[in-house]
Amino acid sequence: VLGNELFARVWIPDPEEVWKSAELLKDYKPGDKVLLLHLEEGKDLEYRLDPKTKELPHLRNPDILVGENDLTALSYLHEPAVLHNLRVRFIDSKLIYTYCGIVLVAINPYEQLPIYGEDIINAYSGQNMGDMDPHIFAVAEEAYKQMARDERNQSIIVSGESGAGKTVSAKYAMRYFATVSGSASEANVEEKVLASNPIMESIGNAKTTRNDNSSRFGKYIEIGFDKRYRIIGANMRTYLLEKSRVVFQAEEERNYHIFYQLCASAKLPEFKMLRLGNADDFNYTQQGGSPVIEGVDDAKEMAHTRQACTLLGISESHQMGIFRILAGILHLGNVGFTSRDADSCTIPPKHEPLCIFCDLMGVDYEEMCHWLCHRKLATATETYIKPISKLQATNARDALAKHIYAKLFNWIVDNVNQALHSAVKQHSFIGVLDIYGFETFEINSFEQFCINYANEKLQQQFNMHVFKLEQEEYMKEQIPWTLIDFYDNQPCINLIESKLGILDLLDEECKMPKGTDDTWAQKLYNTHLNKCTLFEKPRLSNKAFIIQHFADKVEYQCEGFLEKNKDTVFEEQIKVLKLSKFKMLPELFQDDEKAISPTSATSSGRTPLTRTPAKPTKGRPGQMAKEHKKTVGHQFRNSLHLLMETLNATTPHYVRCIKPNDFKFPFTFDEKRAVQQLRACGVLETIRISAAGFPSRWTYQEFFSRYRVLMKQKDVLSDRKQTCKNVLEKLILDKDKYQFGKTKIFFRAGQVAYLEKLRADKLRAACIRIQKTIRGWLLRKKYLRMRKAAITVQRYVRGYQARCYAKFLRRTKAATIIQKYWRMFVVCRRYKIRRAATIVLQSYLRGFLARNRYRKILREHKAVIIQKRVRGWLARTHYKRSMHAIIYLQCCFRRMMAKRELKKLKIEARSVERYKKLHIGMENKIMQLQRKVDEQNKDYKCLVEKLTNLEGIYNSETEKLRSDLERLQLSEEEAKVATGRVLSLQEEIAKLRKDLEQTRSEKKCIEERADQYKQETEQLVSNLKEENTLLKQEKEALNHRIVEQAKEMTETMEKKLVEETKQLELDLNDERLRYQNLLNEFSRLEERYDDLKEEMTLMVHVPKPGHKRTDSTHSSNESEYTFSSEIAEMEDIPSRTEEPSEKKVPLDMSLFLKLQKRVTELEQEKQVMQDELDRKEEQVLRSKAKVHSGALCPFQQSFPYWGLKLESENKKLKNELNELRKALSEKSAPEVTAPGAPAYRVLMEQLTSVSEELDVRKEEVLILRSQLVSQKEAIQPKNTMTDSTILLEDVQKMKDKGEIAQAYIGLKETNRLLESQLQSQKRSHENEAEALRGEIQSLKEENNRQQQLLAQNLQLPPEARIEASLQHEITRLTNENLDLMEQLEKQDKTVRKLKKQLKVFAKKIGELEVGQMENISPGQIIDEPIRPVNIPRKEKDFQGMLEYKKEDEQKLVKNLILELKPRGVAVNLIPGLPAYILFMCVRHADYLNDDQKVRSLLTSTINSIKKVLKKRGDDFETVSFWLSNTCRFLHCLKQYSGEEGFMKHNTSRQNEHCLTNFDLAEYRQVLSDLAIQIYQQLVRVLENILQPMIVSGMLEHETIQGVSGVKPTGLRKRTSSIADEGTYTLDSILRQLNSFHSVMCQHGMDPELIKQVVKQMFYIVGAITLNNLLLRKDMCSWSKGMQIRYNVSQLEEWLRDKNLMNSGAKETLEPLIQAAQLLQVKKKTDDDAEAICSMCNALTTAQIVKVLNLYTPVNEFEERVSVSFIRTIQMRLRDRKDSPQLLMDAKHIFPVTFPFNPSSLALETIQIPASLGLGFISRV
């Protein structure tokens, strides 16, 4: 501490926290015995120095160095600094990996972390080790890279305590190799390598008190690679399986996982024969009392194990065999023994566990029962069978179970190795060693001894490697090398393995007949005690010994050493098992000498993989007896020597796993346990070796960049090395503290901290000076501002006072005038009130008297009338009654007289009849009498008639009398009623008189109340006015609120609409992406198929003479897109081109069939996806068409109809011409029609001239028609007749009848067009009238509803009425508001649409003025080409077709595609020329109606493009060129397809060039797929070119010099951020982007496609930059955020320059922009947290937290992000639903679309340059 100034910080020892931080309160002086310290918790302490050693406490590193990635970057290298750095990274930053020189320290987090996904693997792949944050993947990448670079095998040594995470680290390293390298074949070797992990974990891992998945064996896995460094296989060696766990488990521990997995799956049908149950039912699985691991489902793990076995080729029968043996072991553990006496025992008869064991093993029950209770003793002459005691039998049973399990373990390992073995020769390998770390327990036995012995050997190898690396570094930099003293553990190794060492004495004691653990202990004491300093004897024990290991002293108990070393098992029991009927069991005990011998080699040239403990047998007394005598210790020593030889022959990489606490708490750090493990694993030894020399190393450029602030301008020279030397000589006077190497400066410990202190002091002084100046400037500004403000305030106050006085005077005068007028008003109003009251009283009194007089006269008049009416009624009533009585009397009298007459007549009649009876016989008399009778009858009839008349008269008179009677009765009743009414009227008059008197009295009361009521009414009116005012205010507030709500609703609806639109777009993009990924997979399989065909071709040694290989892409296209004609041709081909199928290797044929099947499946999937994609695109196009259809004018809509009609006319004329030629050739004589005849020539010339003239006339007619249409549209209706006459005059001027006919047709078409327009207008008017009627009806309904509401409101009380009317008014206003808003939106849409149309028309006008489209650059071509108005008249024209012979097709494809140089074409010729030429050739074949020629040309074209891209697929220009031409070819096929949707923008001439005979829609789809493949290949080429530049240019290079300083680095150097000659800068990226853009523009690529490529490029830049930022702690600082934002702004400026801001590229950089902003914003308060959460919406929660955890201050003035702030951020973001993935997918490719882009280039104008070598084709 000498020389350090006050307040230096130190570390002092502490029994609880190991090391505590403190600060000096007083400077140390030599000779001081006490240091005054101030602890961090606030206490003061006197720290006494050790008087013997006088060692001072360790110094603390500056805060700027805390949390470094590499511990060797620390200035002070010692134990407390290492421990503190690890703790800060683990607890505060949640980083579990840290470098310590060449060692990766991995701390187990006891929590799943999202840092092992495939995206992380891709991020670390190909990166330098020092460039990225520490990770197991970085170590794996370093090993893989060194293997490829140095051609040397590699090893990764993973060590640590149980539960520290060794197995997981090894597993992740293997996964990295499997992912990065891939396999060399389709056999998925990498999957098999990873599948070995679950198998080995199930049979070799168990739960312990320290770890739920502890590996109870060591393993070394060699992963083999071929010459291309792809995985071809693997091999595994195992060490020291803990067999004792099979029969015994301690408390809270478990047996091997496989037993519990079996028990959990016991209910499966295939496992019923095993007769298993719960794990608690078996002795071997219930001893630990913890059969379940929390969070682990043993049944699911069993399924994973079986799946892995199947993947590794272990058949179902073998799997069931393994499970039978394991189940047998469990049942064997339940076999019980009964003691007969002290020396013998028996098994109960038909003992169920033993019966099950024998059934499963297929052995005889009696034999096994016998030999479990007996043993055979062999002497020289005889053999004895001796019973054994119950304890011995139990031990023998357990030994048998352990032996069977060990054999099964080795058998499984052998089978796994066989499955992973490769027939291909291994070129190199990477070994992953997962082995137990140093162990020390309360009771240490033989297993701990072997483990610690292995760790001694590994530690020795580690020390030698570290020492060697240090020496190489010093020699390379030409630094004087001084020997560094380091701990050498060779004496400890000699103590264990040398002659007469511990292992030798143990083996010798095992050979002794009566050797015991006690005698062996005595031999150890006699041999090594007091002779070896590393060997000690405990004071209180004679059965233990102590060894001083490199990590700690360990006391071993001798008990059990001999038994475990011998590993004895009874031979007779093994013989019984060998005789098993179960075939698999004897296989386990076969005599496999090669597998046992540790020195023999396997068939593949590798060393043996497993150790096989065995018991001597009598089967082979020779070699096998010798082998079986090898003890476990001897075998372990041999296998360990082999391992060390392998490791020494490789380049090692070290991973040290640390267990942070014993309770498995996540992210909890126990300092005591951590220090213990750091000491044990050699990390601190590495630190000590580094600290002994020059631990801090800087390159000259980095030193200059960091400490430039300590230099003066005159010290800076052009030579950086000399500059650094001059500065260091001034700053550090002691030259021994540093050394200058060739490329680096080496510093001793503490010197970097001293330089950092000088730098911080210099910066602090500069800050103070800046602060002083700025504060003075701020205060001066504040004073001037205050002075100016005071003057202003004074001015305003004085003015205010003057205005107040003037206001007072005015108010006084006004008050006087108001008083005068008010008093006059009051007097006048009082007089008027009194006068009005008097007049009112007089009027009321006079009125009252007049009304009384009137009422009296009225009553008298009414009484007279009533008397008159009553008297008249009485007289009439009396008269009527008298008349009625007289008539009645007359009637009665007349009736009586009639009755008398009738009676006489009846008597006379009776007398005649009697006379007849008396005189019956007298005829004469009868005759006489007859006559009399007749006469009398006549008289009678007369009388009857008279009687009838009388009765009628009587009846009528009776009716009259009755009616008179009723009338008299009614009048009588009326008289009675009138009398009653008179009485009631009299009573009513009396009542009215009383009421009149009462009314008079009440009137007085009412008049009295009138005044009171008037006052109350006035008060009520005023109150109502106030309420009305309040209600108006409320109404206005409600209206305002309604408006706001309407706005909110509108905004919400707009947001929803936007979100739904975005969702639909995302769905469409997802569908496109899925389809394009399938297409990518299809192309990959196609390439694989091509490679296989090439390999098959190469395998044929003698090719056939006529052999011709068919291209795979051709065959694939033919299989999907060809028709009958092509099939017929293909049937003929096999006879000429035969494939040598009979010479194929069977494996290749099966692989070929698999690929073929896979291709078929992918084709089907592709077709389905294509249908879905087409459907989606149709929906999108339909919606767009609906939007844009309103903008189309009727003329544009009707134009396709005209084009079709002209085309049909053209076809008719062509047909007539052809028929005429045909008729002439047929009818004429042969001599006349001969080709050489003169008549024939003349006729043909005439026909040719006529056809040419006809074409000319057609063009003129088209010109005329276009002019007519334009004029028709321009004229108004009133001028129609006049203009038509003018047109008719023009028409009359035409001489040719054909012209007149054409003009007439044009006029007819114009009339039809006008008619259609008129009809459409009529329909629109009708629609409008209908709409108006509907509005009228709705208004009527609204009126009715309003009336109903009004009627309802009138019935309500006043308050409710007001409320209801307000509510109604609010509702009405809301509805009106919404209607108005809808209208406003419609108008806005209309305005926008019209603006767009105006822009389009403006562009069209501009282009028409500019002229030809060919001169416009590709970046400025608009999407919709313009139809020219005027058609140029040509005397003679070509048809836009190219003719070639069929045999020249290959030459055409060769010259135009295969051998074409893109650069020459792009520079000298028009863009897309090859596409135009190919299409013109297709047109000619279509014109000839040659199906075979069309399909052959298209298939050859597609296959040739694929060949070119396969051959030169890494060249950007080639890929871009053919992407552009493929798209242009595709657009030509669409433009000239004849479909109306693609002909909208064609000229009439272009419409004539449409295909007539073939529909090539299928080939359009093939070309679209090909374009997608080329686009994806283009993206891959872009990515390969850009990827090396991105990290260096965007992150590492300092675009703004001096902003970010370089921090000290450790042993693993980072890539320099200073721009050297070989490094990339941002300018490099921009130059490359310019190059890409210019090439694409030169090739004539569609502007929309260029935008998509640029968007993809920017996404790659943003994703790779952000991913590296998230994985590099050194890049997460404020200054780096500024650099990134500047770099992004440069990229945006590039987009603006290229007019590509609307391409969506800027949006892809949003995550990177937000990450840069996150680095720069404040990170302290809750407001800052809220701002961060709202700002970083493009980043996921994991990314935000990761950036905050990684944030590292570069200078001392910056502050770290507190843990509480990060937790606040996590709490605020917990509801955000985003991906848990940390990194962006840099390989993601956006789905590409190819918008239709028709060409305005006329095909007939295209000239074919001679440079293309296409002289064999001719223009038609």
Side-chain angles (χ1 to χ4, degrees), residues 380-418:
T381 57
E382 293 184 71
T383 301
Y384 299 96
I385 295 174
K386 177 187 175 186
I388 55 179
S389 65
K390 180 180 178 180
L391 179 61
Q392 290 175 330
T394 304
N395 291 337
R397 177 202 68 188
D398 293 345
L400 178 63
K402 291 189 291 184
H403 192 66
I404 294 172
Y405 190 82
K407 287 289 186 182
L408 180 64
F409 182 85
N410 293 333
W411 185 90
I412 293 173
V413 171
D414 290 339
N415 275 272
V416 169
N417 284 332
Q418 287 176 13

Side-chain angles (χ1 to χ4, degrees), residues 1258-1269:
K1258 277 185 184 177
E1259 291 173 359
E1260 290 176 353
V1261 168
L1262 290 174
I1263 294 169
L1264 178 62
R1265 186 178 299 172
S1266 62
Q1267 292 174 353
L1268 285 172
V1269 171

